[in-house]
């Protein structure tokens, strides 16, 4: 049978490109889990995805109720789940004041980490029930959270500290909207911190569940896809200069189509079944197992993050 993959945030950028790449193989049915149904429908048509190769389902990661409802709707649709891709993200690089999810958590960490954390935990049961030969749970990481890279050293640097802000509920009214508990809000850092959470969560899932379930847990840095909507809130000059800068100076630029193929590989390539890996690609577009920074691979921090996140999403 064809595999079924759920991709969050498949209405643009990397998620859409991966949805298209997988649907085109004829071996995958793609469930596009998106907050804006119409936008997703237009995007799928615009990308030339064949009718019947995908289903769009509503998911707003800024609401834990919506995450639970998505899981109910998906189960009611009666499809198996063979692969889950936690791809959606928001990035508010110039924001100096926080915004909040329906549950009152700072938006970048709420959407990118907490919403996906709940989704992954709930859908792990479905992945376990699947009879597909290689079941995978993938969470998008990024170079920017990795302080062992050049890009990861551009200020403000990521850093979760002792997680006191997260433990306090990431609310600015009576605490901090930043994970490390800093008083001032920095949107760029909040995004990078959320990506560290993504990479730590993948590894903790691997430690807790890989042996018992056989599910492959993976993360990846798909390259710098400088043209996606992720940079929509950046200043206009940045948006103008960032793509050529990445193309000609850092040479880290990848097209949306190429990044989509990379993510599709992590979903379906028979040679990428190893669990607990953070994949990257070299200049010849060959995949390799990359090293994470010390913080992004700290098992003690991953455990603490897991326990606090469980409380915040109502699993503990
Ligand atoms: P885009 O902004 O193009 O896509 C992000 C997607 O997330 C959109 O579909 C967006 O929906 C969706 N989304 C945002 N908020 C929510 C929400 N509350 N609920 C549900 N969906 C939501 O960005 P990219 O394609 O570039 O990013 C995809 C992933 O790749 C991210 O995890 C990012 O961190 C990662 N990444 C990107 C890099 C890059 O260079 N672009 C580099 C490294 C990693 P909508 O269309 O409705 O806005």
């Amino acid at each position: 049978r064809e595999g079924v993959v759920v991709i969050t945030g498949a209405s643009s950028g990397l998620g859409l490109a991966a949805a298209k790449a997988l649907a085109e193989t004829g071996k995958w049915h793609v469930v596009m889990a998106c907050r804006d149904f119409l936008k997703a429908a237009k995007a799928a048509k615009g990308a030339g995805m064949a009718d019947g190769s995908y289903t769009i389902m509503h998911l707003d990661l800024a609401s834990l109720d919506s995450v639970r409802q998505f899981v109910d709707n998906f189960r009611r649709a009666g499809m198996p789940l063979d692969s889950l891709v936690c791809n959606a993200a928001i990035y508010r690089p110039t924001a100096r004041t926080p915004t909040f999810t329906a549950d009152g958590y700072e938006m970048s960490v709420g959407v990118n980490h907490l919403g996906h954390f709940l989704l992954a935990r709930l859908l792990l049961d479905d992945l376990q029930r699947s009879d597909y030969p290689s079941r995978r749970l993938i969470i998008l990481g990024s170079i920017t959270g990795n302080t062992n890279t050049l890009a990861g050293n551009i200020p403000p640097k990521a850093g979760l500290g002792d997680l006191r802000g997260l433990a306090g509920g990431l609310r600015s009214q009576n605490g901090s909207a930043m994970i490390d508990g800093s008083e001032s809000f920095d949107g760029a850092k909040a995004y990078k911190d959320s990506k560290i959470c993504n990479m730590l969560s993948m590894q903790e899932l691997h430690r807790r569940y890989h042996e018992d379930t056989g599910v492959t847990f993976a993360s990846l840095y798909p390259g710098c896809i400088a043209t996606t909507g992720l940079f929509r809130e950046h200043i206009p000059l940045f948006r103008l200069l960032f793509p050529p800068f990445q193309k000609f100076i850092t040479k880290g630029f990848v097209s949306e189509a190429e990044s989509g193929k990379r993510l599709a590989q992590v979903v379906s390539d028979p040679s990428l079944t190893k669990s607990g890996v953070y994949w990257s690609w070299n200049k010849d577009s060959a995949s390799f197992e990359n090293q994470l920074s010390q913080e992004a691979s700290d098992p003690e921090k991953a455990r603490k993050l897991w326990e606090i996140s469980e409380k915040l999403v109502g699993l503990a």
Side-chain angles (χ1 to χ4, degrees):
R1 66 173 173 84
E2 63 182 3
V4 177
V5 55
V6 169
I7 305 180
T8 69
S11 53
S12 82
L14 175 60
L16 177 63
K20 179 179 159 70
L22 287 163
E24 268 173 5
T25 62
K27 294 182 184 155
W28 288 91
H29 183 83
V30 183
V31 175
M32 300 168 70
C34 297
R35 63 175 166 176
D36 184 337
F37 194 95
L38 263 180
K39 181 177 175 184
K42 277 190 197 149
K45 281 251 180 305
M49 290 170 68
D51 286 348
S53 68
Y54 62 93
T55 304
I56 300 168
M57 286 191 192
H58 185 256
L59 168 66
D60 185 349
L61 289 156
S63 154
L64 297 174
D65 265 353
S66 172
V67 172
R68 290 186 179 277
Q69 233 156 56
F70 170 82
V71 172
D72 283 351
N73 290 343
F74 176 75
R75 287 179 182 157
R76 237 176 272 138
M79 283 181 260
L81 179 67
D82 307 316
S83 201
L84 167 65
V85 181
C86 298
N87 161 77
I90 56 146
Y91 175 43
R92 307 186 57 234
T94 56
R96 287 287 170 264
T97 49
T99 53
F100 296 94
T101 65
D103 309 276
Y105 304 132
E106 186 281 314
M107 188 65 82
S108 317
V109 176
V111 168
N112 305 357
H113 168 57
L114 292 171
H116 278 137
F117 181 81
L118 178 62
L119 183 72
R121 288 290 302 277
L122 297 176
L123 287 180
L124 193 52
D125 284 345
D126 302 67
L127 281 172
Q128 261 179 277
R129 279 196 295 272
S130 149
D131 60 357
Y132 204 71
S134 175
R135 296 148 301 141
R136 303 184 192 180
L137 196 163
I138 297 149
I139 308 179
L140 260 291
S142 181
I143 202 170
T144 53
N146 272 310
T147 48
N148 60 343
T149 64
L150 186 65
N153 273 300
I154 296 171
K157 279 203 234 176
L160 309 187
D162 63 4
L163 298 156
R164 69 177 64 177
L166 188 70
L170 283 185
R171 297 163 206 267
S172 63
Q173 296 92 315
N174 45 6
S176 168
M178 300 297 292
I179 292 182
D180 64 4
S182 334
E183 272 174 33
S184 56
F185 179 73
D186 183 326
K189 182 173 186 297
Y191 169 81
K192 294 177 186 182
D193 289 351
S194 77
K195 288 282 119 186
I196 296 209
C197 293
N198 287 154
M199 294 180 277
L200 287 173
S201 301
M202 178 280 286
Q203 294 162 88
E204 191 65 13
L205 279 159
H206 167 72
R207 277 189 287 270
R208 288 179 188 240
Y209 295 108
H210 175 63
E211 223 169 271
D212 290 349
T213 64
V215 171
T216 294
F217 299 96
S219 186
L220 66 148
Y221 172 62
C224 183
I225 330 156
T227 51
T228 71
L230 196 66
F231 307 98
R232 71 189 100 181
E233 287 189 37
H234 223 303
I235 54 168
L237 187 65
F238 178 90
R239 280 187 275 131
L240 182 72
L241 297 180
F242 192 49
F245 174 73
Q246 291 294 346
K247 253 182 222 165
F248 305 116
I249 313 283
T250 70
K251 304 214 162 55
F253 178 88
V254 286
S255 66
E256 293 182 26
E258 172 60 23
S259 67
K261 281 186 203 145
R262 291 177 178 183
L263 176 51
Q265 269 175 43
V266 183
V267 171
S268 68
D269 195 303
S271 66
L272 302 192
T273 52
K274 190 168 169 191
S275 185
V277 173
Y278 166 64
W279 297 104
S280 297
W281 284 260
N282 65 21
K283 285 193 184 71
D284 304 319
S285 264
S287 58
F288 68 95
E289 284 180 40
N290 206 347
Q291 291 300 310
L292 288 162
S293 69
Q294 201 182 357
E295 180 168 40
S297 54
D298 177 345
E300 186 47 36
K301 208 162 259 194
R303 187 188 56 78
K304 203 168 163 188
L305 173 70
W306 181 277
E307 287 168 4
I308 298 171
S309 302
E310 275 193 325
K311 286 196 190 120
L312 296 181
V313 303
L315 286 174

